[in-house]
Amino acid sequence: MKLLEAKNFEKSYGEHKVLKDISISVEENTVVSILGPSGSGKSTFLRCACMLEKLDGGELVYCGEKAVSSENGKAVYASKGNIRKIKEYFSLVFQNFNLFPHYTVLKNLMDAPVCVQKRDKAEVEMECMELLKKMGLEDKANVFPSQLSGGQQQRVAIARALAMKPKILFFDEPTSALDPEITAEILQILKELAAEKMTMVIVTHEINFAKNVSDYIVFMDGGVVVEEGTPSEVIDHPKQERTKAFLTKLSK
């Protein structure tokens, strides 16, 4: 089953066209990694897919429900009520964590499930403590984000995203702000989630990780999809010169 269908995405900032007719679909229980140089449109694609940025054109469908339709070449968004419902299908883990500084770790996790999803507070607390345990942070439930290391904050951000019970989890370069040792910790958590068949879309520069964990790779450059396929097809045997040049540069 397709959880996400992004069709013919178009996005410009003024005269600068950032996304040019991009289409990406994501099947349930798969990991899709999006690779590409800085400025290729990867993060913009993610932000448009998560409806943090408005599309100029294209369609966006989650679990068969249309969030964005294309009418006369323009992107037309569904009603606020429908968008609110569709947003429950996914969670996004931000590059810079985006934790609420004035909330404890536990309250960061519990806030949206209780206030947005109107779930039972006691049940949510129990689930959130389990998530913190899974992340090795059960002893940090009552501290504030400023008292945590970058790696711990990222693990809290992942737990917070999982607390919403999304069908699909987006990551925007989850290790870019972290040192190599902590990067390895976070990548291990993502590997474990992949093993549990969590559907994920990951914008990353970690080529080896993408190769080992992904079911599908999308290589973007200049606002277009240059090449896509299995890790073997895109990373081991790229067909396009732009893909080859990018991978060669990264491996040096």
Side-chain angles (χ1 to χ4, degrees):
M1 175 189 171
K2 280 192 174 73
L3 293 191
L4 167 68
E5 292 175 83
K7 300 176 184 174
N8 313 113
F9 272 22
E10 301 273 352
K11 176 69 180 174
S12 298
Y13 297 110
E15 296 295 304
H16 180 48
K17 208 164 189 185
V18 186
L19 301 179
K20 307 166 187 171
D21 195 27
I22 282 193
S23 297
I24 296 173
S25 64
V26 180
E27 296 281 343
E28 192 171 18
N29 303 332
T30 60
V31 177
V32 175
S33 288
I34 303 177
L35 309 177
S38 296
S40 59
K42 308 183 301 294
S43 292
T44 302
F45 169 80
L46 215 61
R47 291 179 69 81
C48 288
C50 293
M51 292 182 271
L52 294 171
E53 299 271 0
K54 279 213 158 184
L55 285 165
D56 298 324
E59 293 184 8
L60 177 62
V61 183
Y62 278 99
C63 304
E65 295 185 44
K66 269 198 178 177
V68 183
S69 306
S70 182
E71 292 180 21
N72 301 320
K74 300 285 183 192
V76 178
Y77 282 72
S79 67
K80 280 185 179 175
N82 282 355
I83 293 286
R84 200 175 301 121
K85 183 184 164 209
I86 290 167
K87 279 184 173 178
E88 293 199 12
Y89 288 129
F90 64 85
S91 287
L92 168 64
V93 178
F94 292 90
Q95 191 173 359
N96 54 353
F97 323 134
N98 277 28
L99 299 173
F100 296 116
H102 54 296
Y103 285 176
T104 64
V105 164
L106 183 59
K107 188 163 169 51
N108 261 284
L109 266 66
M110 289 181 62
D111 191 57
V114 172
C115 300
V116 178
Q117 295 180 329
K118 310 295 183 195
R119 283 158 52 197
D120 178 71
K121 192 174 179 181
E123 188 182 307
V124 168
E125 183 170 352
M126 201 164 66
E127 287 173 5
C128 289
M129 285 306 297
E130 274 301 309
L131 283 169
L132 288 176
K133 189 175 178 184
K134 184 176 181 173
M135 298 290 159
L137 294 169
E138 65 267 48
D139 59 333
K140 304 292 185 187
N142 297 311
V143 308
F144 291 89
S146 61
Q147 297 169 275
L148 301 174
S149 69
Q152 289 170 329
Q153 288 186 53
Q154 187 62 297
R155 279 183 274 159
V156 172
I158 294 169
R160 180 178 65 174
L162 289 168
M164 295 292 282
K165 297 188 173 178
K167 288 186 178 295
I168 184 167
L169 201 48
F170 290 97
F171 291 88
D172 187 9
E173 299 198 11
T175 58
S176 66
L178 306 173
D179 67 37
E181 191 178 342
I182 295 168
T183 291
E185 279 176 31
I186 300 302
L187 295 180
Q188 184 55 39
I189 288 168
L190 298 189
K191 279 181 186 171
E192 286 164 14
L193 290 173
E196 292 166 13
K197 295 296 180 190
M198 181 76 215
T199 307
M200 295 186 281
V201 176
I202 307 170
V203 168
T204 182
H205 282 115
E206 301 285 341
I207 300 296
N208 282 336
F209 166 77
K211 180 178 169 179
N212 294 331
V213 175
S214 309
D215 299 288
Y216 201 73
I217 304 266
V218 176
F219 173 67
M220 284 177 62
D221 195 9
V224 300
V225 172
V226 175
E227 192 160 357
E228 59 187 310
T230 64
S232 172
E233 288 166 341
V234 177
I235 295 175
D236 295 332
H237 306 99
K239 294 181 181 69
Q240 303 298 324
E241 289 304 320
R242 281 158 89 183
T243 318
K244 289 176 189 173
F246 173 75
L247 293 169
T248 303
K249 195 174 175 184
L250 276 193
S251 63
K252 281 179 181 171

